[in-house]
Amino acid sequence: MLTNKRLILAHFWLAFIVFGLALVLGAWQMFVRSPLNTWHFNPEFYYRSVTAHGSAMGYVFPTLIAMGFGYAITEASLEKPLVGRRWAWVGFFLVAIGAVVAMIPVSLGRASVLYTFYPPMIGNPFYYIGVVMVVVGSWIWVALMSINFTIWKRENPGKPVPLAMFANVAGSYLWAWTAVGAALEILFQILPVALGLRSTIDAGLARVFFSWTLHAIVYFWLIPTYIAYYTIFPRAIGGRIYSDAMARIAFILFVVVAMPIGVHHLFADPQVGAGFKFMHSVFTGLVALPTLLTVFTICASAEIASRLCGGRGAFGWIRALPWSNPIMLATALSLVMLGFGGAGGLINMSYQLNTSVHNTQWVTGHFHLIFGGAIVIMYFAIAYDLWPHLTGRASEGFGLMRTQLWLWFIGMIVTTFPWHYVGILGMPRRMAFYDYANPVISPEAFSVVMSAIGGFILLISGTLFLLVLIRGQFSTKGEAGAYRFAIALHMPERIPVALNSFGLWLALMVGLTVVNYGFPIAQLMALSETNVPAVYVGASR
Amino acid sequence: MATETDHGPGEAVAARIERRWATLSIVIVALLVGMAAVIGIHRATMPQARVETADPKTLHLSGEFIESNLGSAVEPDGSVTVRAIGQQYSFTPQCIVVPAETPITIRATSADVVHGFLIEGTNINTMLVPGYVSDLPVRFSAPGEHVMPCQEFCGIGHQGMWGKVKVVDRTAFLNMTAAKRRLTCAD
Ligand code: HEM
Ligand SMILES: [Cu+2]
Ligand SMILES: [Cu+2]
């Protein structure tokens, strides 16, 4: 039963409003840096825009989705009202106010440092303070998830925690610990300098701290999507989850191995030695495991659903799937994008191949395909699925939903494939302007135009999405009934303690992070000559 | 939909298929990681082994990155060392000249913020982090020209930070070194 509907709706609405605004910026960025733009413009606006787009899409939007979806999962799967409703609103307002506090200096051009911060460039302190408020707001959510999980277990001794809640709590713990890297960087390194208390900073150490956050944050973005794969998709198409235990193992693997691998973002950096780069590269391989397991379970679950309603043959069952159902469509399109994106990810993870694409447009193409494509399309699906339960109104316009999802998929492919390609040609990322008249750069012009066209398709799709949600607020009243998650084909009666609790896994998560990050961080902290003068950006100084 | 579950042979089959897939997944991952390890060790394509530092406040005063020491130099063993720095929004030297078919060591750092160092059309790609020295062994197979953009956002002039690399014939390069100790192609 969803009792705190307003709380959940507030999270989703704010998330999607932020998404809509940032989407406009993204499309504008694509356009101005393409050959389609023949006007001169101030390149500084481009970096303001990328800072705003990146911070909104990377920090605010997925965090609000995880929070709102997390509250919905708590109430629906544990079948009782959320404990700590007031605190949840406090968290929500911290995120909302933090986002505004951060965006004011960005829009004034006082913090054009991009969402990765990279000192010694230092922006206005309010940008960082705003980001910290967003994170603190989300930590309240983490605490609430943990509290609700613990209370339910105490009330239901020996019973398996519902899979959706187990995965949701796994995601919240993962986020709590991965955010620590950037939090240490901001609180102990950047803010003292931004506030003028100190004037030097170790840029190498800052990059190491940030890498601790930067990798696992992508799994935080991913977890709502995986929860939807496992617990919404099979139910929506009338099937069962192939295996409950394997699903739990997949989420546990994310918690354990997502963190101690972030140095793969620093393969080309001089401040970390080869040994630790190798260690992190090996662990990066391991993190492919939960995704491989997931792909199997989801495809098998789809097959079960199809055969339950008459699908037959080795491949014939695929035709018999309920393709007109938007959740079916979204999941299939998401898996296709995940497949392409995963292939690209295998290239990034090898430090030999990585050198040919590091920091080129390949990287931005890659994460737009995975994050903007595979992950966000399932955020749409989650909203479509939950909406009637939240608004108390009937779900109408499946056709419009399908059009929207197809447009998002097509837009993503048209945007990101050429984006990868120019990266292979060596086109550097994050530039406001390229001289397409230069014969070295001119071969990239056509591909960049394609990407820009894809961007407009995405903008149309995003607009349609918001229209469907608005329409859902005003359609005819209708009780959607209790919100349910998929159940497993073979529901376990008992479950090993290890698959029903987190103590061991959290110890491993923290332990492995300390092993894989402890030495590089200690080594850099011991170096004093690497504190370099801060370079303040913006007009304020 | 029925909610009772059957614990018959179906469940055993399901578990067996799932175990096979999990094993296959582990094998795939082990293979990929093993490949990276073997190539890394055999082909010596490991990243820089040690962490070296250079203070950006005194780069221009002393040490290997003083202005007169930047550019390409021939070492006694016949290899070539290129020293370069990045700063907002250019490289010094802005045009690097190197011989083809010769082992080259690039040593570079930043004088202010984080920059990137990417030579298009090659696999040469590293970060320049102020305070630290990037050291990488490279080799160019044929003469030609490459552009060398900064690939990390370094401030509002980032889009204008493009250097050049000119790869020349080895003998031509050696002739040039007869006249000058440190070579560049920036005039
Ligand atoms: C849901 C969708 C999206 C997400 C989650 C997302 C996320 C991000 C993030 C985190 C960045 C920062 C990257 C960086 O600083 O290098 C970024 C940059 C960018 N995004 Fe998006 N984005 C999305 C959609 C779009 C769309 C639809 C477009 C346009 C068509 C777009 C165009 C861009 C561009 C041009 C950049 C700057 C890349 C560069 O200069 O290298 N994004 N995006
Ligand atoms: Cu990563
Ligand atoms: Cu730059």
Side-chain angles (χ1 to χ4, degrees), chain A residues 275-297:
Chain A
F276 277 92
K277 285 178 182 164
F278 183 72
M279 285 271 275
H280 283 246
S281 154
V282 170
F283 276 89
T284 304
L286 292 183
V287 90
L289 209 55
T291 294
L292 288 170
L293 298 178
T294 300
V295 169
F296 173 81
T297 308

Side-chain angles (χ1 to χ4, degrees), chain B residues 101-117:
Chain B
E101 295 294 350
T102 307
I104 298 169
T105 303
I106 295 177
R107 289 179 63 75
T109 187
S110 162
D112 42 42
V113 301
V114 177
H115 297 281
F117 185 99

Side-chain angles (χ1 to χ4, degrees), chain A residues 22-46:
Chain A
L23 190 63
V24 174
L25 293 181
W28 177 79
Q29 285 156 209
M30 253 325 177
F31 169 74
V32 285
R33 66 179 183 69
S34 80
L36 297 175
N37 176 23
T38 50
W39 298 288
H40 283 286
F41 71 104
N42 181 353
E44 206 270 325
F45 287 130
Y46 182 82

Side-chain angles (χ1 to χ4, degrees), chain A residues 329-340:
Chain A
L329 183 64
T331 307
L333 298 178
S334 172
L335 284 175
V336 172
M337 291 189 277
L338 188 71
F340 283 123

Side-chain angles (χ1 to χ4, degrees), chain B residues 89 114-116 150-155 158 161:
Chain B
Y89 298 102
V114 177
H115 297 281
C150 165
Q151 37 73 338
E152 185 55 273
F153 174 67
C154 53
H158 169 56
M161 189 166 167

Side-chain angles (χ1 to χ4, degrees), chain A residues 58-221:
Chain A
Y59 298 142
V60 183
F61 167 51
T63 305
L64 284 167
I65 296 286
M67 292 167 74
F69 191 33
Y71 295 133
I73 291 171
T74 307
E75 297 203 325
S77 73
L78 303 185
E79 294 173 359
K80 54 182 285 206
L82 178 77
V83 176
R85 203 189 95 241
R86 289 243 169 74
W87 280 105
W89 279 109
V90 172
F92 172 78
F93 282 109
L94 265 174
V95 174
I97 296 168
V100 173
V101 167
M103 281 310 125
I104 290 172
V106 171
S107 52
L108 296 176
R110 302 279 171 94
S112 302
V113 292
L114 306 201
Y115 87 119
T116 41
F117 315 142
Y118 294 146
M121 246 184 303
I122 300 288
N124 183 288
F126 284 103
Y127 171 62
Y128 308 105
I129 291 170
V131 172
V132 169
M133 287 171 72
V134 170
V135 173
V136 171
S138 71
W139 279 347
I140 294 181
W141 165 75
V142 174
L144 290 178
M145 291 303 97
S146 180
I147 290 167
N148 280 277
F149 174 80
T150 313
I151 293 177
W152 189 89
K153 275 183 64 173
R154 205 183 309 130
E155 290 168 353
N156 298 273
K159 271 213 224 161
V161 179
L163 174 62
M165 187 61 183
F166 185 81
N168 172 39
V169 174
S172 78
Y173 287 147
L174 180 145
W175 169 240
W177 182 239
T178 196
V180 167
L184 292 172
E185 180 196 4
I186 292 184
L187 295 179
F188 294 105
Q189 289 197 281
I190 295 179
L191 266 183
V193 179
L195 292 168
L197 305 174
R198 229 186 286 149
S199 64
T200 62
I201 187 162
D202 188 328
L205 178 60
R207 284 173 69 85
V208 173
F209 276 132
F210 194 73
S211 78
W212 163 349
T213 296
L214 183 58
H215 190 76
I217 197 175
V218 307
Y219 296 112
F220 170 58
W221 300 337

Side-chain angles (χ1 to χ4, degrees), chain A residues 12 16 232 235 325-330 376-391 393-406 408 461-472 480 483:
Chain A
F12 277 106
F16 290 125
I232 294 181
R235 185 262 293 139
N325 180 334
I327 309 299
M328 176 69 228
L329 183 64
V376 169
I377 206 169
M378 290 310 287
Y379 291 180
F380 298 155
I382 292 168
Y384 286 156
D385 196 55
L386 270 173
W387 225 241
H389 298 269
L390 294 173
T391 59
R393 286 164 194 275
S395 186
E396 289 169 4
F398 277 18
L400 197 58
M401 290 179 195
R402 285 196 304 270
T403 312
Q404 187 269 323
L405 294 167
W406 271 113
W408 192 259
S461 172
T463 311
L464 279 184
F465 171 69
L466 292 176
L467 283 179
V468 173
L469 294 194
I470 292 170
R471 205 168 107 169
Y483 190 75

